Amino acid sequence: MRRRELVAALAGVTAAWPLVSHAQEAGKTFRIGMAEPVSAELNAAYLAAFLKTLQDLGYVEGRNLLIEHRSADGDASRFPALISELIALNVDLIVARGTPAALAAKKATSTIPVLMVVGEPLLVVDSLARPGRNITGFSGVQPELEPKRMELLREMAPATSGIAALLNMSNPVTAPQLKELQAATKAKGWRFHLFDVRSREDIERAFSSLDKTSDAIVVGLEGVTQAHRETIAELAAKHRLPAIYGGREFVEAGGLIFYGPSFTDIYRRLATYADKIFKGAKPADLPVEQPTKLELVINGGAARALGLEIPPGLRLLADEVIE
């Protein structure tokens, strides 16, 4: 069962949680349905931050809180069915990560509150300040960061002259990212090659098709790439290609550089929004918020394997260097 998967993924976390400081509504058990692109095991660190914050706010799983976790396992076409399954369980709140999940939730219900984590919120709601309806949440992928990612990649790998981008073009959030990437690489005079990856097979074909015109890669953050992050990191190492990613989990899987929003922080803030909704706030009145914390994480082992030195300035700038 998926619930057992969630419990296993978070084993040992709850033991360290402090005692609840204040109880929530007596006799009420809140049920949260989570629709995410990857399994609870792969998303364990972020889920732990979410549940820890809820714990601090007075919610104890098994006492006044139930979590129903559903994973699309990298296949966005599964979200409508997963959302329907959660609705049938009479959840009080849906957490939808990724634009396909949020759009599926929007289509399925106009009454159950939905908290989204998406790359471009305006693909889902009409206004950030007053989103309306039953949906609010957070922006989690920022295409405007692509020029900065290219700068970091050039600093880490000065010989870079051509970029291969692994992006899932079936995801609505990808088009703005592609536009920013093309502009950033053009400004540097770099070659640019797009690989549309919608499956593990697409990822493997992309790497087998690479030639000498691409000497570095950028990997988009979304369900397919998340689900196959270890494969991507392994293939980048095999082909000796420096790579920059939009998610910390890729670097933890062996990738070289991550720069982008802290999803640990976003999941903590998701919990505070859930608390507000449980206490009576309407999603329509809660503004969609942007990330407030960015992280730079470098994998020192991956750098050494590629024969790269981490520049002292970059090392000082990094929030963490994984050795």
Side-chain angles (χ1 to χ4, degrees), residues 170-191:
S170 69
N171 191 320
V173 77
T174 305
Q177 183 180 10
L178 174 60
K179 182 178 179 180
E180 292 287 347
L181 273 171
Q182 289 175 323
T185 53
K186 183 178 180 180
K188 289 179 170 49
W190 290 353
R191 296 176 298 274

Side-chain angles (χ1 to χ4, degrees), residues 3-112:
R3 182 165 179 75
R4 286 202 295 267
E5 181 185 56
L6 175 60
V7 172
L10 302 177
V13 174
T14 56
W17 287 350
L19 294 176
V20 179
S21 58
H22 58 281
Q24 296 300 324
E25 181 183 340
K28 171 67 175 178
T29 297
F30 296 93
R31 188 185 296 263
I32 298 176
M34 305 191 77
E36 298 202 295
V38 295
S39 69
E41 182 179 6
L42 289 178
N43 209 33
Y46 303 145
L47 291 173
F50 180 69
L51 292 178
K52 171 64 169 60
T53 303
L54 285 172
Q55 172 82 11
D56 292 342
L57 292 167
Y59 302 89
V60 180
E61 192 177 5
R63 186 187 305 172
N64 61 353
L65 177 69
L66 294 175
I67 302 289
E68 300 288 349
H69 189 280
R70 299 294 184 270
S71 169
D73 295 324
D75 182 359
S77 68
R78 296 180 57 194
F79 278 121
L82 296 179
I83 296 293
S84 295
E85 186 177 335
L86 292 173
I87 291 173
L89 293 172
N90 295 315
V91 295
D92 299 291
L93 172 71
I94 295 173
V95 174
R97 180 170 176 184
T99 303
L103 289 174
K106 179 180 181 178
K107 184 176 181 179
T109 179
S110 60
T111 56
I112 300 173

